[in-house]
Amino acid sequence: MLNRLRLLQAATALLYFGPLLAGLAGQNWWMIPLFSLAFVLWSVILRPHLWPSSLGDLARVEAVVAISALIATQVLLVTLCFALGRGMGGVMGLKPPVPAYMPVALSFLSVPLSRLVWRTTEIETVAGLDAPPQDPGTQVPSASDPGPPQQTTPPPP
């Protein structure tokens, strides 16, 4: 099981290495939407319980806010990786001759590779994460949630 977790980490590293390599190669900032698409696709494929299960769920404000926050986080991660690569390339004076499609292909390749080794319940228990709910949209009680309030009866007079 630990080998499967390591393979998932390696496949996910490819996802992050794509924008880093593109930045290092000095590619244009217009690559960020492509990498953002790869990151969101990764999230949809590997974490489907974070996404609405039907179009009717999209009408809820909570779902729109959650999806917007998730997409904004993915775009922020892509921008940080890309900017870090640009900064490293600029400081070291390094600009590897990488074709424009190579970093994007690496990021998109990580999605099927990650899915090949992903078994949600097994990997999340090994990694120490909470297992996703069985039904998308179901609240999972956390350890810090005390649950429903206990009713106590007053002592007799």
Side-chain angles (χ1 to χ4, degrees):
M1 177 44 60
L2 201 54
N3 290 336
R4 200 174 276 276
L5 183 61
R6 297 285 182 239
L7 286 172
L8 178 67
Q9 290 173 343
T12 304
L14 283 177
L15 183 72
Y16 289 93
F17 186 66
L20 187 73
L21 181 63
L24 191 64
Q27 293 183 359
N28 291 329
W29 289 93
W30 60 266
M31 298 287 284
I32 288 180
L34 291 173
F35 289 115
S36 297
L37 181 65
F39 274 57
V40 169
L41 181 66
W42 183 91
S43 177
V44 167
I45 299 286
L46 276 94
R47 308 288 286 180
H49 63 278
L50 296 177
W51 294 85
S53 59
S54 67
L55 291 176
D57 292 342
L58 282 175
R60 295 189 345 228
V61 174
E62 300 88 18
V64 172
V65 170
I67 289 173
S68 300
L70 190 101
I71 291 173
T73 304
Q74 300 302 320
V75 171
L76 179 66
L77 282 172
V78 167
T79 305
L80 283 172
C81 289
F82 192 84
L84 185 63
R86 292 285 293 240
M88 287 174 21
V91 167
M92 293 188 295
L94 181 67
K95 191 173 182 181
V98 177
Y101 65 87
M102 182 64 77
V104 176
L106 281 175
S107 286
F108 275 102
L109 180 66
S110 74
V111 175
L113 288 177
S114 296
R115 186 61 190 126
L116 283 173
V117 297
W118 181 256
R119 287 187 188 155
T120 307
T121 55
E122 293 176 12
I123 288 181
E124 287 184 344
T125 55
V126 169
L129 303 172
D130 292 334
Q134 298 300 325
D135 183 26
T138 305
Q139 291 284 58
V140 177
S142 65
S144 63
D145 185 19
Q150 300 290 332
Q151 288 205 353
T152 58
T153 57

